[in-house]
Amino acid sequence: MRVTVVGCAGSFPRPDSPASCYLLSAQDVDGRTWNVVMDLGSGSLGALQRYIDPDQLDAVIISHAHADHYLDLVGLHVALRWNPAGWSGRPVPVYAAGLLADRLALIAELPADPGMHREFAFHTWAARRPERIGPFTVTPYSVDHPVEEAYALRISGPGDDGTEAVVAYSGDTDACPELDEAARAACLYLCEAAYHEGRDDAVRGVHLTGLRAGESARAAGVHRLALTHLPVWNDPARSCAEAREAFAGPVQTVAAGDVFVLHGDGRVDAG
């Protein structure tokens, strides 16, 4: 399984990165490569086209309905619906909270029926219910963030050596037991660290600090912690230092364009 960081900025795009977006790629037993996008935040659709044509997407999975995690679905709808070269007509599966289809139609000034249902096949998450997408199994876990439904996502799929590998993605959340369970023994833990210790201590139930991300990584027993969702006003070095206070394994902040190759034995090639 390969994970490409398309965008990793928190809350809104940074000069060097769109908002949250990650491309997951893996082959099934027949040798077919599947491409799944995890979150499609503001500004990410343009950068995604460096790696894949929108018509080649097999699915989009959305952690929660805040704009920096889903807003470019509006642009993807346009890309599929109005491409002069034609569209395959295959609705792209979108896994998300149940409210998302109506919200997208409202943003695009479309009637709710049909809204975007001709281009997207909407599927509603249920906490802890696995969804099978090609070679991937995606399990959502309810987490602590101020929106109607927020999920951390646990994705298992074939590692580069053919055995099962796991990537965990926090979405947006503060510390909670469900987050640690979603990340349990993951090869790669993509975990948000939007806050800093000492600066944001008065705000709880919204985001993690680097320290709390490190504590979650330690509790979950992950192999590699990759901090993401850093807003423009955060210091990445400070976030890493906080995380290392709690987690003894490999720690880094991600950047747009980073690629991780996962192996089933827990190893992660980062580059």
Side-chain angles (χ1 to χ4, degrees):
M1 178 172 16
R2 178 182 296 262
V3 180
T4 302
V5 179
V6 179
C8 55
S11 300
F12 55 88
R14 297 194 310 255
D16 61 345
S17 176
S20 298
C21 182
Y22 309 87
L23 175 61
L24 311 176
S25 304
Q27 288 188 344
D28 62 19
V29 294
D30 298 319
R32 177 191 183 290
T33 298
W34 288 69
N35 296 293
V36 174
V37 164
M38 182 165 64
D39 279 351
L40 195 61
S42 42
S44 62
L45 180 60
L48 179 64
Q49 292 171 78
R50 299 172 185 161
Y51 308 101
I52 189 172
D53 187 282
D55 201 40
Q56 296 176 305
L57 283 175
D58 291 296
V60 180
I61 57 179
I62 300 295
S63 63
H64 66 288
H66 277 161
D68 58 324
H69 293 262
Y70 83 91
L71 191 60
D72 272 24
L73 278 168
V74 177
L76 179 60
H77 172 262
V78 172
L80 298 176
R81 176 70 178 84
W82 299 108
N83 184 350
W87 171 52
S88 67
R90 172 186 60 88
V92 175
V94 175
Y95 295 79
L99 55 88
L100 192 64
D102 288 346
R103 183 170 294 183
L104 286 167
L106 181 64
I107 292 170
E109 298 184 343
L110 298 172
D113 184 14
M116 297 185 181
H117 287 273
R118 292 171 179 166
E119 291 73 32
F120 297 145
F122 290 97
H123 302 264
T124 301
W125 293 127
R128 297 175 179 263
R129 184 184 69 195
E131 299 284 357
R132 185 74 178 178
I133 306 172
F136 301 105
T137 299
V138 184
T139 306
Y141 289 78
S142 295
V143 290
D144 188 11
H145 192 61
V147 68
E148 292 91 334
E149 297 177 52
Y151 297 100
L153 302 176
R154 180 181 179 87
I155 303 97
S156 62
D160 199 50
D161 53 1
T163 56
E164 184 183 71
V166 174
V167 56
Y169 173 51
S170 66
D172 283 3
T173 181
D174 202 345
C176 60
E178 292 82 359
L179 175 64
D180 300 344
E181 187 169 348
R184 177 176 38 83
C187 304
L188 175 67
Y189 186 17
L190 291 165
C191 188
E192 69 117 298
Y195 286 166
H196 278 327
E197 293 288 319
R199 186 191 67 191
D200 306 301
D201 294 351
V203 186
R204 295 306 299 256
V206 183
H207 289 298
L208 296 163
T209 62
L211 177 63
R212 297 203 291 269
E215 290 171 342
S216 176
R218 182 183 63 202
V222 306
H223 292 266
R224 176 181 289 267
L225 172 60
L227 300 176
T228 189
H229 199 269
L230 274 61
V232 68
W233 46 72
N234 273 26
D235 177 1
R238 179 175 170 181
S239 297
C240 277
E242 290 179 7
R244 291 188 178 111
E245 292 180 31
F247 180 63
V251 177
Q252 68 179 93
T253 54
V254 302
D258 283 353
V259 177
F260 299 91
V261 178
L262 279 60
H263 304 268
D265 60 3
R267 289 181 297 116
V268 178
D269 296 333

